[in-house]
Amino acid sequence: MSDAETTTTTTTEAEADTASARPAPQGAVRLSVLGGDPALSQALRRGGALLADAEPGPKQASAALLARFHYGLASARAGALGDVRLLAQLIAAAQGEADPVFWPQPDGTLVDAARPGVDPAGLPDLASATAYRQAHLTALARLLAETETLVLPLGAPTLLTDPASGQVFPRPPAGIHAPDWPKARMSAKDLDAGFARLAEGLQALNPALQLCLIVLPAPPGARAETRASHALLAARAADWARGTARLRHDPVLDALVGRLLAPGGEADADRLAALVVRLCGGADLLDLVTGGAAPPAAATERKQRAKDPERRARRKARAEAKGKTAKVMCEDELLEAFSK
């Protein structure tokens, strides 16, 4: 099954899925995810999130075939992404601000340069490739316009820079032929410019959108340069969150996601996944901690009960019967002092 053959079928199945979808449980956390490790999206589903799927695959296809063509691995078939510059270019393309770039292959097919790992078989001709990419961008624009919370997993992928346009593209997987473009640099200035463009594009598409950034951990055994890039990204994400409305980034959430995706898995992965889902949905970490301080309402209620004259009299009588009058008198005096 080629990608070109699935375009029409995918659209039909998406409409059918929308019509027959079960109502969402009350209080469910609705999220959309663009890019990142597919294991993260799987974990979010296990944790109870309702993940949007703008490009569902044909129902008759096997799970292995769907995964090969990136169906169901995130909320849209946009590839791994992971860099704010790639995300900014994707949003610009969804708004019609950029022309598609295709890489010709030795067999005559064309590969979408923006997502070379998504269409491993390539497209047969320019008309098919253009139509297929436009269908993807249309679905993406609709997803972003309707999304309440968008989760963007970020990392430090290797990118290529087109010297002519300055655009960046993912390094293609083995077997895909690409131009001999230089590797893109990753500086704080580059990241800041990419994020500013990304935030502006998302604001134009959906002013009410809530954005959650997750900085993924560096891969196990990563080189010092890669670890430094992840550290730089985490620092910039913290600054973006401080200066941007409707944007969240929490290093604690980053760490929890790192544990969730660690090799070997987490002993209580489902419970951890549920915690990650709630944090992505906007819950405050302190509200989720058990055994901590009581909420203000409960503390106020206890204080009011302690000031009740009948309760104080009964407590005093019990204490006097046990020979602890002095202690109770001290408590009463303190309560009276704080109540004034």
Side-chain angles (χ1 to χ4, degrees):
M1 178 182 67
S2 72
D3 280 352
E5 293 169 343
T6 63
T7 304
T8 303
T9 306
T10 300
T11 303
T12 303
E13 297 293 351
E15 294 170 351
D17 286 348
T18 302
S20 61
R22 296 180 179 179
Q26 186 175 5
V29 178
R30 297 175 178 272
L31 301 174
S32 296
V33 181
L34 285 184
D37 187 338
L40 175 58
S41 293
Q42 295 170 6
L44 293 176
R45 290 189 180 96
R46 288 202 317 271
L50 289 177
L51 287 193
D53 190 355
E55 299 178 275
K59 292 182 178 179
Q60 69 272 21
S62 67
L65 185 59
L66 291 174
R68 181 180 175 222
F69 285 85
H70 284 237
Y71 286 106
L73 301 187
S75 293
R77 298 175 58 244
L81 297 170
D83 190 288
V84 290
R85 294 166 291 180
L86 281 178
L87 287 159
Q89 287 180 187
L90 178 62
I91 302 308
Q95 295 171 302
E97 298 176 6
D99 294 328
V101 176
F102 301 108
W103 291 335
Q105 300 300 296
D107 62 359
T109 60
L110 297 173
V111 166
D112 187 347
R115 48 179 190 163
V118 171
D119 301 315
L123 282 301
D125 52 53
L126 182 59
S128 299
T130 303
Y132 196 59
R133 176 156 182 79
Q134 186 55 52
H136 161 65
L137 295 176
T138 299
L140 175 66
R142 183 170 58 249
L143 169 78
L144 295 174
E146 298 172 353
T147 291
E148 298 175 3
T149 300
L150 177 64
V151 178
L152 297 182
L154 303 179
T158 301
L159 305 180
L160 304 179
T161 300
D162 178 3
S165 66
Q167 294 189 84
V168 293
F169 297 93
R171 184 171 62 180
I176 300 294
H177 291 258
D180 188 20
W181 289 342
K183 178 180 174 181
R185 65 181 186 178
M186 184 178 178
S187 68
K189 183 178 180 180
D190 297 323
L191 292 176
D192 288 347
F195 175 76
R197 185 184 178 198
L198 168 63
E200 183 180 359
L202 289 175
Q203 174 70 17
L205 279 172
N206 186 348
L209 180 69
Q210 297 284 343
L211 192 59
C212 176
L213 301 183
I214 298 177
V215 179
L216 299 175
R223 297 181 303 170
E225 178 184 0
T226 300
R227 294 196 300 272
S229 295
H230 278 259
L232 171 63
L233 177 60
R236 301 316 307 143
D239 280 350
W240 301 334
R242 282 191 291 267
T244 308
R246 300 183 181 277
L247 169 64
R248 298 190 307 275
H249 170 255
D250 190 336
V252 174
L253 177 57
D254 294 348
L256 293 176
V257 170
R259 286 180 56 182
L260 194 58
L261 301 182
E266 179 71 22
D268 197 354
D270 288 346
R271 184 180 177 188
L272 180 56
L275 176 60
V276 167
V277 166
R278 294 182 66 184
L279 291 174
C280 288
D284 191 289
L285 181 62
L286 293 179
D287 294 337
L288 304 181
V289 175
T290 58
T300 301
E301 183 180 354
R302 282 204 305 270
K303 185 175 180 181
Q304 292 298 328
R305 289 200 307 267
K307 292 166 60 177
D308 182 74
E310 293 184 3
R311 289 178 178 272
R312 288 167 56 186
R314 289 196 299 268
R315 188 169 62 249
K316 178 179 178 180
R318 288 195 300 267
E320 287 177 343
K322 295 180 181 180
K324 297 181 180 179
T325 306
K327 179 180 178 181
V328 174
M329 290 298 293
C330 180
E331 290 177 355
D332 287 342
E333 290 170 358
L334 287 173
L335 286 170
E336 290 175 359
F338 280 116
S339 65
K340 294 180 180 179

